[in-house]
Amino acid sequence: MPELPEVETTCRGIAPHITGKKVKQVVIRQPRLRWPIPTDLPQQLKGRKLLNVSRRGKYLLLTFHHGTLIIHLGMSGSLRILTPESTVQKHDHFDLQVSSGKLLRLRDPRRFGAVLWTDQPPSQHPLIAHLGPEPLEEGFNTAYLHEQGQRRRVAIKQLIMDSKIVVGVGNIYASESLFKSAIHPTRPSNRISESRYGKLVEAIKETLTAAIAQGGTTLRDFQREDGEPGYFAQQLQVYGKTDQACPRCDSPIRQKTIAQRSTFYCAACQR
């Protein structure tokens, strides 16, 4: 599943090609994604200028004067910048063609993605209004996360993966950040000191920042028609490393399921 660094990298990859351009045509080939694509979207967008491309959590926001196009990549979605002559593949469900002659194409084999429209501020949309702070912004800090953790008694990994607490700390980056901060993923959130929360906040920021930077340098070209989703090769320390040696102490990495998600950790290093 695309996580925050992948979505941020996608945002940066497509923005230069479509920002400031007018919409020439909208093509909806398969309207039945996770939620139906609005049938009046071609009329809503034709001739309108795209002002900005941004991200909130895992949602991409394409801003126009009269509203915002909200795109989510779901489990398997990807976006490409192509030309109108590009061959349409089986799972190419949505095109946004702009005045420069380029088009933005959504490919989504599992159809768990979304293309939605709102004429209200996107921050008020039901899918976005409940989201917690962005992990790389100032609002996500030691005092905030410590306060949230003390209010609950859940596994710390479950806490940091809750999008109402903080957005974008998905399964991979949760395991990696907890390892980096030496916190056991099952430790109750209300039994962690503020100083340890400080280390965790720092680890989350460092892990996500490094992943975004890595994606920016190794990303596949968004203009390649046959390109796979622009996700980068992870340089991971524990995720997916079951029974391999811990990079800190050589103990075997363990795996267990927390909140129905595979979790990787070192029982010796993480307390």
Side-chain angles (χ1 to χ4, degrees), residues 142-161:
T142 301
Y144 167 79
L145 191 58
H146 179 252
E147 179 184 2
Q148 296 298 318
Q150 297 309 299
R151 294 178 178 178
R152 298 162 177 80
R153 184 179 172 82
V154 296
I156 183 58
K157 181 169 183 277
Q158 190 174 346
L159 181 82
I160 63 175
M161 287 187 62

Side-chain angles (χ1 to χ4, degrees), residues 49-54 61-69 117 122:
K49 184 177 181 180
L50 176 59
L51 303 177
N52 187 50
V53 180
S54 61
L61 307 178
L62 278 60
T63 304
F64 296 82
H65 277 297
H66 65 311
T68 303
L69 191 66
W117 174 258

Side-chain angles (χ1 to χ4, degrees), residues 86-191:
S86 300
T87 302
V88 176
Q89 304 293 331
K90 179 179 179 181
H91 302 296
D92 292 346
H93 303 316
F94 175 82
D95 286 356
L96 182 76
Q97 185 178 345
V98 295
S99 54
S100 65
K102 297 290 183 68
L103 63 82
L104 179 70
R105 175 167 291 169
L106 173 67
R107 182 174 298 172
D108 186 5
R110 298 182 68 178
R111 292 187 3 210
F112 286 156
V115 178
L116 301 171
W117 174 258
T118 179
D119 57 8
Q120 301 298 313
S123 60
Q124 298 177 11
H125 193 278
L127 294 174
I128 296 175
H130 70 280
L131 295 179
E134 292 284 334
L136 300 180
E137 295 183 356
E138 292 183 2
F140 181 66
N141 53 45
T142 301
Y144 167 79
L145 191 58
H146 179 252
E147 179 184 2
Q148 296 298 318
Q150 297 309 299
R151 294 178 178 178
R152 298 162 177 80
R153 184 179 172 82
V154 296
I156 183 58
K157 181 169 183 277
Q158 190 174 346
L159 181 82
I160 63 175
M161 287 187 62
D162 185 344
S163 63
K164 296 179 182 178
I165 303 298
V166 58
V167 298
V169 185
N171 196 39
I172 294 173
Y173 301 109
S175 287
E176 291 295 303
S177 298
L178 288 166
F179 175 75
K180 185 175 289 188
S181 57
I183 298 174
H184 196 286
T186 63
R187 177 167 285 277
S189 62
N190 63 345
R191 295 183 57 193

